[in-house]
Structure formats: C-alpha cells, structure tokens
Amino acid sequence: DDQVVDYPTTENYERIEFLGDAVLELIVTTHLFFMLPEAKEGILSLFRIPLVANTHLSKVSKRVGLHRHLVISHDAYFNLPGPREKIHADILEAFLGAVFLDSGLDEADRLFALMFFPNPAERKLWTNLKPHEFQIEYPQGDRHLIEKCATLTKLTDLENLLGIKFKHISLLGRALSSS
C-alpha cells in the first residue's frame, strides 16, 4: 500500500538555522586559523566576516539551489517576511545545521567546501590544511616537557581537576597565557 507520508514537524527552520550559524562559524574559523597561522585575531575576523555575511551566504544558497527545495508553496515563498537575501542565507545555515545533526561536523565541513568553493583548485586550498605548529614540532605530543617546566607541571593540576589530558600540554599553556 503506497501512501505519501508527510514528515513530522512542529517547528520551522529557525532552531536548526541557529545551530547551523554556529556550525558555519566554527568551520570558517577553524579553516582560517590553520590557513593563516601568522595572522592575529583581528585579521582572522576580517577574513571571516565576508565568508559568513548574509550576502555571500545568499549567493551560495541560490547557486546550489537550496531555495528550490523549501517545503512551502510558491506564493508563501514570495510572501515570506524580510528580504529574500536573508531567507536564502538562513536556509543555508539551516541546511548546515541539519547536516551537522544528522552526520556530524566532518560532513558539514565537506559539504561547506563543495558549496562554497565549486572550483576544485580553490576547494583544494580550503580543504588541505597544514597541521598546527605543535603538531609539526611534537607529532606524538609534548608531555615530556612537563618535567622541565614548572608552569606546565602546574597545568597538570588543572587537567586532573577537569578530567582531561592534553597531548600537547604547551597548547593548554598558550591558551591560558596573556601577553
């Protein structure tokens, strides 16, 4: 007996879009962090802003055709509140949120790269990230430095308190340092 079954939903895309916005920020921030290892925080922010701007998200959303898969009537689409650019951006964020919920961050990252960088050469630049300097210098970790440095020894107290053991304890030291 073939019956059409409507999917169960009690909410629109906004909650998933909220999550997708954070997924998008994490993906872009992570890639920029690794791609621009010498860049200061302000420079990284300047690179991130245009990548996550509604104008750009809307263009990507339209290019990949997400709007053609909205589950609303043609008339409702044209009567949606707000500028269409914002709605196109929102559905792209909601899509990334749905991918994240269903398949995890790696899959959301992969699809982000496909959608945002249709040119294979650009996508290769975006996806082939170099390891962090700590991973290069100490691929097996740097815990051997603990016995040589009182500050790192003290950080093991924090690790024990929180129940985490850093492979690269110097990274924890850098995260908690101020200059």
Side-chain angles (χ1 to χ4, degrees), residues 32-175:
L32 291 175
F33 179 85
F34 282 99
M35 290 175 73
L36 304 168
E38 302 300 319
K40 303 260 187 240
E41 178 188 8
I43 299 299
L44 292 170
S45 292
L46 289 174
F47 276 95
R48 182 177 57 198
I49 289 168
L51 286 170
V52 300
N54 282 344
T55 304
H56 183 64
L57 299 180
S58 178
K59 287 177 186 174
V60 171
S61 180
K62 286 187 272 189
R63 186 180 67 239
V64 300
L66 287 178
H67 63 287
R68 291 193 296 266
H69 301 281
L70 276 174
V71 185
I72 59 172
S73 71
H74 183 269
D75 290 339
Y77 172 73
F78 286 102
N79 291 317
L80 284 169
R84 229 145 321 301
E85 179 180 281
K86 171 83 168 102
I87 292 159
H88 287 283
D90 287 352
I91 61 173
L92 177 61
E93 291 173 341
F95 174 78
L96 287 173
V99 171
F100 171 76
L101 284 172
D102 185 70
S103 303
L105 186 60
D106 287 342
E107 185 65 4
D109 190 13
R110 184 187 75 77
L111 288 171
F112 170 90
L114 281 172
M115 292 187 303
F116 280 67
F117 302 102
N119 177 300
E122 292 173 355
R123 189 168 50 250
K124 186 176 180 182
L125 285 173
W126 182 258
T127 56
N128 290 341
L129 300 176
K130 294 179 182 167
H132 188 270
E133 63 186 83
F134 286 107
Q135 296 166 320
I136 294 169
E137 188 173 359
Y138 300 109
Q140 304 305 313
D142 65 2
R143 295 194 68 82
H144 64 280
L145 300 175
I146 293 170
E147 58 194 43
K148 300 174 186 174
C149 179
T151 303
L152 295 181
T153 303
K154 187 175 177 184
L155 289 175
T156 61
D157 294 338
L158 177 62
E159 287 181 315
N160 292 332
L161 179 69
L162 298 176
I164 184 170
K165 187 173 181 179
F166 275 74
K167 183 177 175 181
H168 296 91
I169 195 157
S170 297
L171 187 58
L172 175 59
R174 183 176 289 179

